[in-house]
Amino acid sequence: MANFPDFKTKDEEIAFWESHDSADFWDEMEDIVVDVDLHHNLHHPRLVVLAYLPERCPRCSSELASVTIEYITNKDGQLSIIRDVPAWRCHDIGHEYILEETLDQIERLLSPEPGQPSHPFDMLQVPIFSLQTAS
Ligand SMILES: [Zn+2]
């Protein structure tokens, strides 16, 4: 496994990666978690957002089927449910995907412009329990 140099300039770094395979340096790289999903789906925590729909599952290459899911999210203590969300699920393992444009629609519903109230079609009452106070 190779060592990569300390780059002095951004151009130097770009030139280096154009001529080297990053796979040769995996052992040296740090793991980072990038959370780009502002409204995490509690019901489908492993949902992956795609820019476009691939022909087969990007993770296991099995066939993708069109499904409809419920998107449940908790933002600042406010629980919201979005129904009829178009998604794709792979046949073999059940990997789930939604498109970026669908996530954009969800963002717009959950974070409307100031002065433009959201219009939920129904409201639910949610019971809340705690094991600390249960007897
Ligand atoms: Zn899959």
Coordinates of all heavy atoms in Angstrom, one line a residue, residues 21-85:
D21 N -4.6 5.9 -8.7 CA -5.8 5.3 -8.4 C -6.1 5.4 -6.9 O -5.2 4.9 -6.1 CB -5.8 3.8 -8.8 CG -7.2 3.1 -8.6 OD1 -8.0 3.7 -7.9 OD2 -7.4 2.0 -9.1
S22 N -7.2 6.0 -6.5 CA -7.4 6.2 -5.0 C -7.6 4.9 -4.3 O -7.3 4.8 -3.1 CB -8.6 7.1 -4.8 OG -9.8 6.5 -5.3
A23 N -7.9 3.8 -5.0 CA -8.1 2.5 -4.4 C -6.8 2.0 -3.8 O -6.7 1.3 -2.8 CB -8.6 1.5 -5.4
D24 N -5.6 2.5 -4.3 CA -4.3 2.1 -3.8 C -4.0 2.8 -2.4 O -3.1 2.4 -1.7 CB -3.2 2.5 -4.7 CG -3.3 1.8 -6.0 OD1 -3.8 0.7 -6.0 OD2 -2.8 2.3 -7.0
F25 N -4.9 3.7 -2.0 CA -4.6 4.5 -0.8 C -5.7 4.3 0.3 O -5.7 5.1 1.2 CB -4.4 6.0 -1.1 CG -3.3 6.2 -2.1 CD1 -3.5 6.2 -3.4 CD2 -2.0 6.4 -1.6 CE1 -2.5 6.4 -4.3 CE2 -0.9 6.6 -2.5 CZ -1.2 6.6 -3.8
W26 N -6.6 3.4 0.1 CA -7.7 3.3 1.0 C -7.3 3.1 2.4 O -8.0 3.6 3.3 CB -8.6 2.1 0.5 CG -9.7 2.6 -0.4 CD1 -10.0 3.9 -0.6 CD2 -10.5 1.8 -1.3 NE1 -11.0 4.0 -1.6 CE2 -11.3 2.7 -2.0 CE3 -10.6 0.5 -1.6 CZ2 -12.2 2.3 -3.0 CZ3 -11.5 0.0 -2.5 CH2 -12.3 0.9 -3.2
D27 N -6.3 2.3 2.7 CA -5.9 2.1 4.1 C -5.5 3.4 4.8 O -5.6 3.5 6.0 CB -4.7 1.2 4.1 CG -5.1 -0.3 3.9 OD1 -6.3 -0.5 3.8 OD2 -4.3 -1.2 3.9
E28 N -5.1 4.4 4.0 CA -4.7 5.7 4.7 C -5.8 6.7 4.8 O -5.6 7.7 5.4 CB -3.6 6.3 3.8 CG -2.2 5.6 3.9 CD -1.2 6.5 3.2 OE1 -1.0 7.6 3.7 OE2 -0.6 6.0 2.3
M29 N -6.9 6.3 4.2 CA -8.0 7.4 4.2 C -8.8 7.3 5.5 O -9.0 6.2 6.1 CB -8.9 7.2 3.0 CG -8.1 7.5 1.8 SD -9.1 7.7 0.4 CE -7.9 8.0 -0.9
E30 N -9.4 8.4 5.9 CA -10.2 8.4 7.1 C -11.7 8.1 6.6 O -12.1 8.6 5.6 CB -10.2 9.8 7.7 CG -8.9 10.2 8.3 CD -9.0 11.7 8.7 OE1 -10.0 12.1 9.3 OE2 -8.0 12.4 8.4
D31 N -12.4 7.4 7.5 CA -13.8 7.3 7.2 C -14.5 8.5 7.6 O -14.4 9.0 8.8 CB -14.4 6.1 8.1 CG -13.9 4.8 7.5 OD1 -13.6 4.7 6.3 OD2 -13.8 3.8 8.3
I32 N -15.4 9.0 6.8 CA -16.2 10.1 7.2 C -17.7 9.8 6.9 O -17.9 9.1 5.9 CB -15.8 11.5 6.6 CG1 -15.9 11.4 5.0 CG2 -14.4 11.9 7.0 CD1 -15.9 12.8 4.4
V33 N -18.5 10.3 7.6 CA -20.0 10.1 7.4 C -20.5 11.5 7.0 O -20.4 12.5 7.7 CB -20.7 9.6 8.6 CG1 -22.2 9.5 8.4 CG2 -20.1 8.3 9.1
V34 N -21.1 11.5 5.8 CA -21.7 12.7 5.3 C -23.2 12.6 5.4 O -23.8 11.7 4.7 CB -21.3 13.0 3.9 CG1 -21.9 14.3 3.4 CG2 -19.8 13.0 3.7
D35 N -23.8 13.4 6.2 CA -25.3 13.4 6.3 C -25.9 14.5 5.5 O -25.9 15.7 6.0 CB -25.7 13.5 7.8 CG -27.1 13.2 8.0 OD1 -27.8 12.8 7.0 OD2 -27.6 13.3 9.2
V36 N -26.3 14.2 4.3 CA -26.9 15.2 3.4 C -28.4 15.2 3.5 O -29.0 16.1 3.0 CB -26.5 15.0 2.0 CG1 -25.0 15.3 1.8 CG2 -26.9 13.6 1.5
D37 N -28.9 14.2 4.2 CA -30.4 14.1 4.3 C -30.9 14.9 5.5 O -30.8 14.4 6.6 CB -30.7 12.6 4.4 CG -32.2 12.4 4.3 OD1 -33.0 13.4 4.2 OD2 -32.7 11.3 4.4
L38 N -31.4 16.1 5.3 CA -31.9 16.9 6.4 C -33.1 16.3 7.1 O -33.2 16.4 8.3 CB -32.3 18.3 5.9 CG -31.1 19.1 5.3 CD1 -31.7 20.4 4.7 CD2 -30.0 19.3 6.3
H39 N -33.9 15.6 6.3 CA -35.1 15.0 6.9 C -35.0 13.5 6.8 O -35.4 12.9 5.9 CB -36.4 15.5 6.2 CG -36.5 16.9 6.2 ND1 -36.9 17.6 7.4 CD2 -36.3 17.9 5.3 CE1 -37.0 18.9 7.1 NE2 -36.6 19.1 5.9
H40 N -34.2 13.0 7.8 CA -34.0 11.5 7.8 C -35.3 10.8 7.9 O -36.2 11.1 8.7 CB -33.1 11.3 9.1 CG -32.6 9.9 9.1 ND1 -31.7 9.5 8.2 CD2 -32.8 8.9 10.0 CE1 -31.4 8.2 8.5 NE2 -32.0 7.9 9.6
N41 N -35.4 9.7 7.1 CA -36.6 8.9 7.1 C -36.6 7.8 8.2 O -35.8 6.9 8.1 CB -36.8 8.3 5.8 CG -38.2 7.6 5.6 OD1 -38.9 7.3 6.6 ND2 -38.6 7.3 4.4
L42 N -37.3 8.0 9.3 CA -37.3 7.1 10.4 C -37.8 5.7 10.0 O -37.3 4.7 10.6 CB -38.2 7.7 11.6 CG -37.8 9.1 12.1 CD1 -38.9 9.5 13.1 CD2 -36.5 9.0 12.7
H43 N -38.7 5.7 9.1 CA -39.3 4.4 8.7 C -38.4 3.6 7.8 O -38.5 2.4 7.7 CB -40.6 4.7 8.1 CG -41.6 3.6 8.2 ND1 -42.1 3.2 9.4 CD2 -42.2 2.8 7.3 CE1 -42.9 2.2 9.2 NE2 -43.0 1.9 7.9
H44 N -37.6 4.3 7.0 CA -36.7 3.6 6.0 C -35.3 4.2 6.2 O -34.8 5.0 5.3 CB -37.2 3.9 4.6 CG -38.5 3.3 4.3 ND1 -38.7 2.1 3.7 CD2 -39.8 3.8 4.6 CE1 -40.0 1.9 3.6 NE2 -40.7 2.9 4.2
P45 N -34.6 3.9 7.3 CA -33.3 4.6 7.6 C -32.2 4.3 6.6 O -31.3 5.1 6.6 CB -33.0 4.0 9.0 CG -33.8 2.8 9.2 CD -35.0 2.9 8.3
R46 N -32.3 3.3 5.8 CA -31.2 3.0 4.9 C -31.6 3.5 3.5 O -30.9 3.1 2.5 CB -30.9 1.5 4.9 CG -30.7 1.0 6.3 CD -30.0 -0.3 6.3 NE -28.6 -0.1 5.9 CZ -27.6 -0.1 6.7 NH1 -27.7 -0.3 8.0 NH2 -26.4 0.0 6.2
L47 N -32.6 4.3 3.3 CA -33.0 4.8 2.0 C -31.8 5.6 1.4 O -31.2 6.4 2.1 CB -34.2 5.7 2.3 CG -35.0 6.2 1.1 CD1 -35.7 5.0 0.4 CD2 -36.0 7.2 1.5
V48 N -31.5 5.4 0.2 CA -30.4 6.1 -0.5 C -31.0 7.0 -1.6 O -31.9 6.6 -2.3 CB -29.4 5.0 -1.1 CG1 -28.4 5.7 -2.0 CG2 -28.7 4.3 0.0
V49 N -30.5 8.2 -1.6 CA -31.0 9.2 -2.6 C -30.1 9.1 -3.9 O -28.9 9.1 -3.8 CB -30.9 10.6 -2.0 CG1 -31.5 11.6 -3.0 CG2 -31.7 10.6 -0.7
L50 N -30.8 9.0 -5.0 CA -30.1 8.9 -6.3 C -30.4 10.1 -7.2 O -31.5 10.6 -7.2 CB -30.5 7.6 -7.1 CG -30.1 6.3 -6.4 CD1 -30.7 5.1 -7.2 CD2 -28.6 6.1 -6.3
A51 N -29.4 10.5 -8.0 CA -29.7 11.6 -8.9 C -30.5 11.2 -10.1 O -31.3 11.9 -10.7 CB -28.3 12.2 -9.4
Y52 N -30.3 9.9 -10.5 CA -31.1 9.4 -11.6 C -31.4 7.9 -11.3 O -30.7 7.3 -10.5 CB -30.4 9.5 -12.9 CG -29.1 8.8 -13.0 CD1 -29.0 7.5 -13.5 CD2 -27.9 9.3 -12.4 CE1 -27.9 6.7 -13.5 CE2 -26.7 8.5 -12.4 CZ -26.7 7.3 -13.0 OH -25.6 6.6 -12.9
L53 N -32.4 7.3 -12.0 CA -32.7 6.0 -11.8 C -31.8 5.0 -12.6 O -31.9 5.1 -13.9 CB -34.2 5.7 -12.1 CG -34.7 4.3 -11.8 CD1 -34.7 4.1 -10.3 CD2 -36.1 4.1 -12.4
P54 N -31.1 4.2 -12.0 CA -30.2 3.2 -12.7 C -31.1 2.0 -13.2 O -32.2 1.9 -12.8 CB -29.2 2.7 -11.7 CG -29.9 2.9 -10.4 CD -30.9 4.0 -10.5
E55 N -30.6 1.3 -14.1 CA -31.3 0.1 -14.7 C -31.5 -1.0 -13.6 O -32.5 -1.7 -13.6 CB -30.7 -0.4 -15.9 CG -31.1 0.4 -17.1 CD -30.5 -0.2 -18.4 OE1 -30.4 -1.5 -18.5 OE2 -30.2 0.6 -19.3
R56 N -30.4 -1.2 -12.8 CA -30.4 -2.2 -11.8 C -29.9 -1.6 -10.5 O -29.3 -0.6 -10.5 CB -29.6 -3.4 -12.3 CG -29.9 -4.0 -13.6 CD -29.1 -5.2 -14.0 NE -29.6 -6.4 -13.4 CZ -30.6 -7.1 -13.9 NH1 -31.2 -6.8 -15.0 NH2 -31.1 -8.2 -13.3
C57 N -30.1 -2.4 -9.4 CA -29.7 -1.9 -8.1 C -28.1 -1.6 -8.1 O -27.3 -2.5 -8.4 CB -30.0 -3.0 -7.0 SG -29.4 -2.5 -5.4
P58 N -27.8 -0.4 -7.7 CA -26.3 -0.1 -7.7 C -25.5 -0.9 -6.7 O -24.3 -1.0 -6.8 CB -26.3 1.4 -7.3 CG -27.7 1.9 -7.5 CD -28.6 0.7 -7.4
R59 N -26.2 -1.5 -5.7 CA -25.4 -2.2 -4.7 C -25.4 -3.7 -4.9 O -24.4 -4.3 -4.5 CB -26.0 -1.9 -3.3 CG -25.6 -0.5 -2.8 CD -26.1 -0.2 -1.4 NE -27.5 0.2 -1.5 CZ -28.2 0.5 -0.4 NH1 -27.6 0.4 0.8 NH2 -29.4 0.9 -0.5
C60 N -26.4 -4.3 -5.6 CA -26.3 -5.7 -5.7 C -26.7 -6.2 -7.1 O -26.8 -7.4 -7.4 CB -27.2 -6.4 -4.7 SG -29.0 -6.2 -5.0
S61 N -27.0 -5.2 -8.0 CA -27.3 -5.5 -9.4 C -28.6 -6.3 -9.7 O -28.8 -6.8 -10.8 CB -26.2 -6.2 -10.1 OG -25.0 -5.4 -10.1
S62 N -29.5 -6.4 -8.7 CA -30.7 -7.1 -9.0 C -31.7 -6.1 -9.5 O -31.5 -4.9 -9.6 CB -31.2 -7.8 -7.7 OG -31.8 -6.9 -6.8
E63 N -32.9 -6.6 -9.9 CA -33.9 -5.8 -10.6 C -34.5 -4.8 -9.6 O -34.7 -5.2 -8.4 CB -35.0 -6.6 -11.2 CG -34.6 -7.1 -12.6 CD -35.7 -8.0 -13.1 OE1 -36.9 -7.5 -13.1 OE2 -35.4 -9.1 -13.6
L64 N -34.9 -3.6 -10.1 CA -35.5 -2.6 -9.2 C -37.0 -2.6 -9.5 O -37.4 -2.7 -10.7 CB -34.9 -1.3 -9.5 CG -33.5 -1.0 -9.0 CD1 -33.0 0.3 -9.6 CD2 -33.4 -1.0 -7.5
A65 N -37.8 -2.6 -8.5 CA -39.3 -2.5 -8.7 C -39.8 -1.1 -8.1 O -39.3 -0.7 -7.1 CB -40.0 -3.6 -8.0
S66 N -40.7 -0.5 -8.8 CA -41.3 0.7 -8.3 C -42.2 0.4 -7.1 O -43.1 -0.5 -7.2 CB -42.1 1.3 -9.5 OG -42.9 2.3 -9.0
V67 N -42.0 1.1 -6.0 CA -42.9 1.0 -4.9 C -43.3 2.3 -4.3 O -42.8 3.4 -4.8 CB -42.2 0.2 -3.7 CG1 -41.9 -1.2 -4.1 CG2 -40.9 0.9 -3.3
T68 N -44.2 2.3 -3.4 CA -44.7 3.6 -2.8 C -44.4 3.4 -1.3 O -44.8 2.4 -0.7 CB -46.2 3.8 -3.0 OG1 -46.4 3.9 -4.4 CG2 -46.6 5.1 -2.4
I69 N -43.7 4.4 -0.7 CA -43.3 4.3 0.7 C -43.9 5.5 1.5 O -44.4 6.4 0.9 CB -41.8 4.2 1.0 CG1 -41.1 5.5 0.5 CG2 -41.2 3.0 0.3 CD1 -39.7 5.6 1.0
E70 N -43.9 5.3 2.8 CA -44.3 6.4 3.7 C -43.0 7.0 4.2 O -42.1 6.3 4.7 CB -45.1 5.8 4.8 CG -46.0 6.8 5.4 CD -47.1 6.1 6.3 OE1 -46.7 5.6 7.4 OE2 -48.3 6.1 5.9
Y71 N -42.9 8.3 4.2 CA -41.7 9.0 4.7 C -42.0 9.6 6.0 O -42.9 10.5 6.1 CB -41.3 10.1 3.6 CG -39.8 10.5 3.7 CD1 -38.9 9.9 2.8 CD2 -39.4 11.4 4.6 CE1 -37.6 10.2 2.8 CE2 -38.0 11.8 4.6 CZ -37.2 11.2 3.7 OH -35.8 11.5 3.7
I72 N -41.4 9.2 7.0 CA -41.6 9.7 8.4 C -40.4 10.4 8.9 O -39.3 9.8 8.9 CB -42.0 8.6 9.4 CG1 -43.2 7.8 8.8 CG2 -42.3 9.1 10.7 CD1 -43.6 6.6 9.6
T73 N -40.5 11.6 9.3 CA -39.4 12.4 9.7 C -39.7 13.2 11.0 O -40.8 13.6 11.2 CB -38.9 13.3 8.6 OG1 -37.7 14.0 9.0 CG2 -39.9 14.2 8.1
N74 N -38.6 13.4 11.8 CA -38.8 14.2 13.0 C -37.9 15.4 12.9 O -36.7 15.3 13.0 CB -38.4 13.3 14.2 CG -38.6 14.0 15.5 OD1 -38.8 15.2 15.6 ND2 -38.5 13.2 16.6
K75 N -38.5 16.6 12.7 CA -37.6 17.8 12.6 C -37.9 18.7 13.8 O -39.1 19.1 13.9 CB -37.9 18.5 11.3 CG -36.9 19.5 11.0 CD -37.4 20.5 9.9 CE -36.3 21.6 9.7 NZ -36.9 22.8 9.1
D76 N -36.9 18.9 14.6 CA -37.1 19.8 15.8 C -38.3 19.3 16.7 O -39.0 20.2 17.1 CB -37.2 21.3 15.4 CG -36.1 21.7 14.5 OD1 -35.0 21.2 14.7 OD2 -36.3 22.6 13.7
G77 N -38.4 18.1 16.8 CA -39.5 17.6 17.7 C -40.9 17.5 17.0 O -41.9 17.1 17.6
Q78 N -40.9 17.9 15.7 CA -42.2 17.8 15.0 C -42.2 16.7 14.1 O -41.4 16.6 13.1 CB -42.5 19.1 14.3 CG -44.0 19.0 13.7 CD -44.3 20.2 12.8 OE1 -44.0 21.3 13.1 NE2 -45.0 19.8 11.7
L79 N -43.0 15.7 14.3 CA -43.1 14.5 13.5 C -44.0 14.8 12.3 O -45.0 15.4 12.4 CB -43.8 13.4 14.4 CG -43.4 12.0 14.2 CD1 -41.9 11.8 14.4 CD2 -44.1 11.1 15.2
S80 N -43.5 14.4 11.1 CA -44.3 14.6 9.9 C -44.3 13.3 9.1 O -43.3 12.6 9.1 CB -43.7 15.7 9.0 OG -43.7 17.0 9.6
I81 N -45.4 13.1 8.5 CA -45.5 11.9 7.6 C -45.9 12.3 6.2 O -46.8 13.1 6.0 CB -46.7 11.0 8.2 CG1 -46.3 10.5 9.6 CG2 -46.8 9.7 7.3 CD1 -47.4 9.8 10.3
I82 N -45.2 11.8 5.3 CA -45.5 12.1 3.9 C -45.9 10.7 3.2 O -45.1 9.8 3.2 CB -44.4 12.7 3.1 CG1 -44.1 14.1 3.8 CG2 -44.7 12.9 1.7 CD1 -42.7 14.4 3.9
R83 N -47.1 10.6 2.7 CA -47.5 9.4 2.1 C -47.3 9.4 0.6 O -47.1 10.5 0.0 CB -49.0 9.2 2.4 CG -49.2 8.9 3.9 CD -50.5 8.2 4.2 NE -50.5 7.9 5.6 CZ -51.6 8.1 6.4 NH1 -52.7 8.7 6.0 NH2 -51.5 7.8 7.7
D84 N -47.4 8.3 0.0 CA -47.4 8.1 -1.5 C -46.1 8.6 -2.1 O -46.1 9.3 -3.1 CB -48.6 8.9 -2.1 CG -49.9 8.5 -1.4 OD1 -50.2 7.3 -1.2 OD2 -50.7 9.4 -1.1
V85 N -45.0 8.3 -1.4 CA -43.7 8.7 -1.9 C -43.2 7.7 -2.9 O -43.0 6.5 -2.5 CB -42.7 8.9 -0.7 CG1 -41.3 9.2 -1.3 CG2 -43.2 10.0 0.2

